[in-house]
Amino acid sequence: KVGALGGLLNAGAQLFGQDKFAEAGELFGSVLTAVPNHRDALYNQSLVLYKLERWQDLIPVAQKVIAVDPLNENAHIILFNAHKGIADAGGNTAAATAARNEALKALETANALPLKVESVQLLNSEGSVVVKGMATGAAAAAGSPVQLEFTVQGVSGPIGTGTVTISAPAKDQSANFEVTIPTTEAAISYAYRKK
């Protein structure tokens, strides 16, 4: 099942690269049917909905991406664009004003991120998974500790957690991080929260 999900993600990414957004969305949707909070499938689905300008459908997906990947600046910008798309289509209605306010909130949240988490990879090995990624400095003061608790997910659900403390890089500077999480099952996705 792990290989099949990876195959669906890769095929979806290829279709996305060929501007076949609806077809890509179907494949990402298949992954989400099997693993509802699969981080990469959620993120890719949010990109599909963005490209298709399906703003109403995009909002809950972008919110789910932010729930599992809260320091992903792009996810917050995608949510901003979804609300902005609704506002732009709504003219001077109360709904458009409400959407503009939600867009502003999403942008403020993006600008207030202590740091940005990017390029997360899962490296499975016998008895553990290593979560590797890059942190880019944002609103947190350089050197201040930012603690993240990662939960890795297998095909049957959460299979392990681990915490990493990142010394916040200076704004726009980057630093690598990694955490090893013991597990007997292969990890296929991740989520994390700031502690």
Side-chain angles (χ1 to χ4, degrees):
K1 191 168 180 180
V2 173
L5 292 174
L8 286 171
L9 279 173
N10 290 338
Q14 288 178 344
L15 288 168
F16 186 90
Q18 298 164 8
D19 294 345
K20 295 179 179 174
F21 304 123
E23 295 91 333
E26 287 177 24
L27 294 182
F28 300 140
S30 295
V31 174
L32 292 170
T33 298
V35 183
N37 288 327
H38 193 290
R39 185 267 172 210
D40 292 349
L42 282 170
Y43 183 72
N44 290 339
Q45 190 72 296
S46 75
L47 295 176
V48 163
L49 294 170
Y50 172 80
K51 288 289 194 178
L52 295 173
E53 297 184 10
R54 289 175 44 193
W55 309 126
Q56 289 287 359
D57 295 334
L58 175 53
I59 290 171
V61 176
Q63 289 169 331
K64 283 182 185 172
V65 176
I66 291 166
V68 297
D69 192 1
L71 300 181
N72 178 330
E73 183 184 44
N74 292 340
H76 291 277
I77 299 301
I78 289 168
L79 182 60
F80 160 79
N81 280 304
H83 287 298
K84 184 178 179 304
I86 291 168
D88 291 349
N92 288 328
T93 63
T97 299
R100 269 189 275 288
N101 290 338
E102 289 299 319
L104 188 59
K105 272 194 237 173
L107 199 55
E108 288 170 352
T109 301
N111 290 333
L113 295 178
L115 50 80
K116 298 177 256 187
V117 171
E118 302 164 319
S119 307
V120 175
Q121 297 175 294
L122 301 176
L123 305 172
N124 286 298
S125 61
E126 192 70 36
S128 68
V129 60
V130 176
V131 180
K132 296 176 78 158
M134 188 172 68
T136 301
S144 59
V146 178
Q147 196 173 53
L148 302 179
E149 181 183 70
F150 278 86
T151 299
V152 287
Q153 185 172 341
V155 289
S156 61
I159 55 173
T161 61
T163 302
V164 61
T165 301
I166 302 167
S167 181
K171 188 164 175 58
D172 299 327
Q173 299 298 305
S174 295
N176 294 324
F177 67 85
E178 71 176 58
V179 58
T180 301
I181 300 172
T183 176
T184 55
E185 197 179 319
I188 59 167
S189 188
Y190 67 91
Y192 64 90
R193 65 184 182 94
K194 186 175 168 290
K195 289 186 82 174

